Amino acid sequence: MGWMFIILAALSEIIGVIGLRFYSQHKTLRNLILYIGGFGVSFALLYASFNYLQLSIAYVVWVGIGTVGAVLVNIIFFGGIQKSITYYQYPSDYHRCSRLKSNILMVLQ
């Protein structure tokens, strides 16, 4: 029963992510309900799973499934992979990013 709650919670989290995406583009009541409702149901189901599973196990599985699901939804439905590929369309963009990366690494050392 606990695993079922985790899977349903992760699916609800993915629905919340889709709602967040829609709400950030168009501020409508339907998108807000999808956004808040998805995350709300997700947290409620995660909390219910704590009665059957250890908190550490339930949370890690919930985060993992939710993260992978959100990334896949972004790639499949919203074209997330094309945006990252087209960012390096021009050589100057690549050099600008690599320069930024080397500056960050110098600061961290």
Side-chain angles (χ1 to χ4, degrees):
M1 189 71 170
W3 292 109
M4 185 180 71
F5 283 141
I6 290 296
I7 291 171
L8 291 174
L11 292 175
S12 297
E13 183 182 11
I14 294 168
I15 290 170
V17 168
I18 292 170
L20 175 63
R21 172 73 182 237
F22 288 154
Y23 187 71
S24 68
Q25 293 173 345
H26 304 287
K27 308 262 189 291
T28 64
L29 182 61
R30 185 196 74 136
N31 293 341
L32 180 66
I33 290 171
L34 192 65
Y35 165 44
I36 300 296
F39 284 120
V41 169
S42 179
F43 288 132
L45 290 170
L46 177 66
Y47 184 73
S49 74
F50 295 157
N51 293 325
Y52 301 96
L53 300 169
Q54 292 179 3
L55 183 136
S56 59
I57 300 295
Y59 181 74
V60 167
V61 172
W62 173 70
V63 167
I65 295 173
T67 302
V68 169
V71 168
L72 288 177
V73 163
N74 189 32
I75 290 172
I76 294 169
F77 295 111
F78 300 119
I81 194 78
Q82 286 87 11
K83 290 179 184 174
S84 62
I85 289 172
T86 58
Y87 185 76
Y88 295 118
Q89 186 173 3
Y90 302 105
S92 62
D93 291 340
Y94 176 76
H95 294 298
R96 196 175 309 133
C97 287
S98 62
R99 211 173 321 127
L100 176 64
K101 180 180 173 185
S102 63
N103 288 340
I104 291 172
L105 290 176
M106 282 183 5
V107 169
L108 293 177
Q109 291 177 355

